Amino acid sequence: EALVCLLFFKPEKSKIDRIHLSEDKKHKKFVISRKSLTFVILISTRYTMALIKSVRGFTPEIGDNCYLADNATIIGDVVMGNDCSIWFGTVLRGDVNSIKIGDCVNIQDGSVLHTLYQKSTIEIGNHVSVGHNVTIHGAKVHDYALIGMGSVLLDDAEIGEGAIIAAGSVVTARTKVGPYELWGGVPAKFIKMVSPEQGKEINQKIAHNYKMYASWYNEEETHPNPPSREGTADSAEIVQ
């Protein structure tokens, strides 16, 4: 929603100067009285400031029911599916090549996605979780994979379905991580297999929780019954 500011004027006999501020879920209202005029300024507090920018003739395509945080940046050749969430300070920079994102993907705060000109692209499947401060540069990530916070995926790396990249790892260029494998370290190396049942339970829980978190920001009013932390998971809780 765009910022809305309405200014009303009405005669006022009172000469007493007055400034009054009231606020509700949707608006801030300033009432300023001075001599013969009262000014009523109504300012909407519900608006989105995500930067969505076209470049080289490409305009980002955003699916249905996506949440874009106020200072997220989405540029150029970016195609995003439905029910995704792009969190605070995240940059999807599709200026030199394409970024394709599936459904129900969460890309958490401070992450950066970029590519190589005329070489690498980014492809992210469905129900993928990308943790805080992750860098993905020209890599492919399959469905239900989990990229731990602070990790780096370099050009032409490929992360298999349901795989887990431990926090702080660096997956070097052209590395292939198989389905349901756990990798970690700098450079990242194979640690162990994760059973498909365990992998799906962890990864689906995070992906689905982030869809719920995003819904709180899209609601008109504050969530009336915040859930307890019991039974929820975040990418910080993955294998130590």
Side-chain angles (χ1 to χ4, degrees), residues 16-229:
I16 299 175
D17 293 348
R18 181 183 61 178
I19 299 177
H20 174 71
L21 168 64
S22 64
E23 182 174 0
D24 59 24
K25 298 289 186 184
K26 294 183 179 180
H27 301 97
K28 290 182 180 179
K29 182 169 70 173
F30 295 88
V31 179
I32 305 172
S33 297
R34 181 172 175 81
K35 296 182 179 179
S36 61
L37 289 177
T38 294
F39 302 89
V40 180
I41 304 174
L42 187 64
I43 302 177
S44 170
T45 58
R46 291 185 56 83
Y47 57 91
T48 297
M49 294 180 63
L51 173 62
I52 301 176
K53 185 176 180 62
S54 300
V55 66
R56 297 175 57 224
F58 293 102
T59 298
E61 300 178 20
I62 312 297
D64 296 332
N65 196 37
C66 290
Y67 168 68
L68 310 179
D70 294 355
N71 61 346
T73 301
I74 304 170
I75 298 173
D77 192 1
V78 177
V79 178
M80 186 184 306
N82 301 324
D83 299 310
C84 294
S85 58
I86 310 300
W87 292 85
F88 298 97
T90 293
V91 177
L92 311 183
R93 195 175 135 207
D95 52 357
V96 301
N97 223 327
S98 63
I99 298 173
K100 312 293 184 188
I101 298 171
D103 297 330
C104 201
V105 172
N106 64 90
I107 303 178
Q108 297 170 26
D109 317 69
S111 294
V112 175
L113 277 62
H114 196 228
T115 59
L116 282 178
Y117 181 55
Q118 297 182 338
K119 292 184 179 180
S120 64
T121 62
I122 288 177
E123 297 179 43
I124 297 178
N126 302 318
H127 303 282
V128 170
S129 294
V130 176
H132 312 293
N133 294 308
V134 166
T135 298
I136 300 179
H137 204 281
K140 184 173 184 177
V141 182
H142 289 271
D143 296 352
Y144 283 111
L146 170 63
I147 313 302
M149 58 186 182
S151 297
V152 177
L153 310 184
L154 295 178
D155 296 284
D156 298 314
E158 184 170 353
I159 312 301
E161 179 178 348
I164 297 174
I165 305 301
S169 302
V170 175
V171 180
T172 54
R174 295 178 293 281
T175 298
K176 307 297 181 185
V177 175
Y180 301 103
E181 293 182 354
L182 169 64
W183 284 54
V186 181
K189 298 184 181 300
F190 173 79
I191 297 175
K192 67 176 185 177
M193 295 298 299
V194 179
S195 71
E197 294 77 17
Q198 182 186 15
K200 282 189 174 180
E201 180 183 3
I202 294 171
N203 298 0
Q204 287 182 17
K205 181 178 290 186
I206 295 172
H208 295 165
N209 280 349
Y210 262 87
K211 182 178 176 181
M212 176 179 67
Y213 304 157
S215 73
W216 300 344
Y217 290 81
N218 284 326
E219 288 175 354
E220 185 169 309
E221 296 182 0
T222 303
H223 197 281
N225 297 304
S228 69
R229 290 188 56 80

